[in-house]
Amino acid sequence: MKFEDALKTLEEIVEKLESGNLELEESIRLFEQGVKLSLYCRQQLQQAEAKIQRLVKNLNGELELLDME
């Protein structure tokens, strides 16, 4: 799943939960799904941050991405 898709789904879940029109079981199911999506989004952001932190200037003063693996 792409980050953007996960974030959009998470936003939709939040809207549904905030509406207050759901039954308890549906609210719990959506909450669980939202937590999973939130963790996925956090992981994706942490990976992106790690890539950004590996950007360094090379000898010509240009930014270059180093493969740290």
Side-chain angles (χ1 to χ4, degrees), residues 19-32:
S19 75
N21 296 327
L22 301 173
E23 293 184 6
L24 179 60
E25 291 299 320
E26 180 67 4
S27 293
I28 291 170
R29 186 188 70 74
L30 286 174
F31 181 79
E32 289 174 346

Side-chain angles (χ1 to χ4, degrees), residues 11-55:
E11 290 171 347
E12 291 169 356
I13 288 172
V14 169
E15 286 179 21
K16 288 178 184 177
L17 289 172
E18 287 179 342
S19 75
N21 296 327
L22 301 173
E23 293 184 6
L24 179 60
E25 291 299 320
E26 180 67 4
S27 293
I28 291 170
R29 186 188 70 74
L30 286 174
F31 181 79
E32 289 174 346
Q33 183 182 1
V35 169
K36 289 176 185 176
L37 286 170
S38 175
L39 292 173
Y40 171 80
C41 288
R42 175 184 281 170
Q43 179 186 29
Q44 294 299 305
L45 288 172
Q46 288 172 337
Q47 289 175 359
E49 182 180 23
K51 286 181 182 179
I52 291 169
Q53 289 174 346
R54 290 190 301 243
L55 280 173

